[in-house]
Amino acid sequence: MAGAAMADPLEGTWRTAPDDNGNSGLVQVAPCGAQLCGQLVKAYGPGGAEIASPNLGRNIISETVARGGGEYRGKVFAPDTGKTYNSKLVLSGNRLSVSGCVLGFCREGGVWQKLQ
């Protein structure tokens, strides 16, 4: 009988880096089929106060798979641009460097901090 699978180190709650509008959020990463997805569970304005967001419940991270060595590839949605980028995520301890490209336009998503 097989034991429970180990949780992927990307799983958990992450505080995003502020976007171009100064907004940030909490993204809950969990398995979605054979991949990992991250849903926006809280949003914060530039001053740090919780705000209402039309993107609550939306997958900010989707179609994400581990590539080894702390690197992940998939999709990341940027609420400030309304675009979904092909993403590269690099995990280092409790920090996640996020970047992505769409139609040759690449963008840094900053460093996310793991809360739990």
Side-chain angles (χ1 to χ4, degrees), residues 22 26 36 43-44 49 72 77 81-82 89 92 100 107 112:
L26 295 184
L36 292 163
Y44 301 95
Y72 296 79
F77 173 75
T81 64
L89 310 175
S92 178
R107 177 177 185 190
W112 296 10

Side-chain angles (χ1 to χ4, degrees), residues 3 15 22-23 36 54 57 59 64 73 75 79-80 82 94 100-101 104 108 110 115:
R15 176 76 182 246
N23 297 324
L36 292 163
N59 276 340
T64 299
R73 294 291 177 128
K75 305 270 185 200
D80 59 339
N94 64 350
C101 298
E108 292 299 314
L115 300 181

Side-chain angles (χ1 to χ4, degrees), residues 96-112:
L96 185 68
S97 297
V98 179
S99 59
C101 298
V102 62
L103 299 174
F105 173 74
C106 296
R107 177 177 185 190
E108 292 299 314
V111 177
W112 296 10

Side-chain angles (χ1 to χ4, degrees), residues 35-111:
Q35 302 168 331
L36 292 163
C37 294
Q39 191 175 81
L40 184 66
V41 294
K42 281 192 180 179
Y44 301 95
E50 193 170 342
I51 58 170
S53 168
N55 295 301
L56 286 173
R58 180 175 191 145
N59 276 340
I60 301 298
I61 296 174
S62 61
E63 300 176 34
T64 299
V65 293
R67 293 283 195 225
E71 186 176 309
Y72 296 79
R73 294 291 177 128
K75 305 270 185 200
V76 65
F77 173 75
D80 59 339
T81 64
K83 290 186 169 71
T84 299
Y85 297 82
N86 290 317
S87 66
K88 177 181 177 185
L89 310 175
V90 180
L91 183 65
S92 178
N94 64 350
R95 296 167 60 84
L96 185 68
S97 297
V98 179
S99 59
C101 298
V102 62
L103 299 174
F105 173 74
C106 296
R107 177 177 185 190
E108 292 299 314
V111 177

